[in-house]
Amino acid sequence: MTAEDLYGRLDDDDYPAYTMGRAAEMLGTTQGFLRAIGEARLITPLRSAGGHRRYSRYQLRIAARARELVDQGTPVEAACRIVILEDQLEEAQRLNAEHRRTAEAPGPPDGA
């Protein structure tokens, strides 16, 4: 692997760069919380060759949102469902905006 390949992975939001311990430390939570949101299928960490959980930056952002809801008193399962629905809504809004841009784009000239 070249240094350029490695640098490209550092910018990849989906690259599983963080161990469970480091992810929990970054989120200010416990490893048990990460296991719980994994069991609730909010995030599915990748596994290293040795079977250890590895998390991406995208997964850490999702976990941070779930933690915020749990800290506000929402049960873990409900927090996970809320985050999933928020993520689905964001994706639907992105797709709608993309379709609108495509529909509003000028077409080819007549007779072309």
Side-chain angles (χ1 to χ4, degrees):
M1 176 179 298
T2 67
E4 189 172 307
D5 292 336
L6 182 58
Y7 182 74
R9 287 185 175 178
L10 294 174
D11 284 342
D12 184 354
D13 269 358
D14 296 318
Y15 182 71
Y18 303 98
T19 63
M20 177 181 267
R22 180 69 178 128
E25 179 183 317
M26 290 171 68
L27 294 171
T29 190
T30 65
Q31 293 180 15
F33 175 78
L34 291 173
R35 283 188 207 94
I37 62 175
E39 290 170 9
R41 297 181 185 223
L42 177 61
I43 58 175
T44 303
L46 287 149
R47 298 283 183 151
S48 69
H52 300 282
R53 290 174 178 90
R54 306 285 289 188
Y55 297 89
S56 68
R57 288 190 308 195
Y58 173 75
Q59 290 173 323
L60 294 184
R61 284 195 300 275
I62 296 292
R65 175 65 179 133
R67 174 153 190 249
E68 181 182 329
L69 292 168
V70 169
D71 287 349
Q72 294 171 0
T74 307
V76 171
E77 296 80 15
C80 290
R81 185 68 182 137
I82 289 167
V83 173
I84 289 167
L85 291 170
E86 287 174 343
D87 198 45
Q88 289 173 345
L89 176 59
E90 183 179 322
E91 178 66 9
Q93 289 172 331
R94 186 192 65 75
L95 289 171
N96 284 340
E98 187 178 305
H99 288 307
R100 265 189 241 109
R101 280 191 302 275
T102 302
E104 293 171 356
D110 289 340

